[in-house]
């Protein structure tokens, strides 16, 4: 999402969206320990579960966007641990 326009693309879909608003809880820091590597994992700032973002689809097919990200992790980090799972819902006006 580009900071100045609040628009961004959904990779692999040709879709473009605009952030309308969001409802998020208080962020927190999360780290851990990698047992295999025997070292600390980096601390990351996390947006809590249950946060909601409202986007408008401004380009592309919404069906393609749904197939690409619904029920999947869109996190930049720790995807294999279940962070960033995205669920899509619709609003009809």
């Amino acid at each position: 999402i580009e900071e100045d326009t609040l628009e961004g693309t959904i990779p692999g879909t040709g879709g473009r969206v605009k952030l309308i608003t969001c409802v998020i809880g208080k962020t927190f820091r999360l780290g851990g320990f990698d047992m295999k590597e025997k070292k600390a994992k980096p601390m990351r700032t996390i947006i809590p579960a249950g946060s909601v973002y409202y986007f408008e689809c401004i380009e592309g097919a919404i069906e393609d966007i749904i197939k690409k990200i619904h029920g999947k992790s869109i996190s930049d980090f720790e995807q294999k641990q279940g962070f960033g799972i995205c669920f899509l819902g619709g609003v009809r006006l």
Side-chain angles (χ1 to χ4, degrees):
I1 301 296
E2 300 160 11
E3 282 188 46
D4 56 337
T5 63
L6 299 180
E7 294 180 4
T9 58
I10 308 296
T13 68
R16 190 157 178 81
V17 295
K18 180 176 178 99
L19 178 64
I20 304 300
T21 190
C22 59
V23 180
I24 61 173
K26 184 178 179 183
T27 59
F28 62 95
R29 303 281 290 161
L30 181 68
F33 191 83
D34 188 324
M35 298 293 282
K36 184 178 178 182
E37 299 293 325
K38 296 182 169 71
K39 64 178 185 177
K41 292 181 180 181
M43 292 293 287
R44 307 234 190 257
T45 300
I46 306 295
I47 295 170
S51 297
V52 178
Y53 295 84
Y54 291 89
F55 289 94
E56 175 184 3
C57 182
I58 57 176
E59 189 176 308
I62 190 68
E63 294 81 12
D64 293 339
I65 295 171
I66 291 169
K67 287 178 190 174
K68 183 71 175 179
I69 64 175
H70 182 72
K72 299 179 177 100
S73 176
I74 60 169
S75 174
D76 293 334
F77 308 102
E78 306 294 344
Q79 293 182 356
K80 65 182 179 273
Q81 293 184 352
F83 293 104
I85 303 297
C86 176
F87 295 99
L88 300 176
V91 176
R92 302 270 186 225
L93 298 176

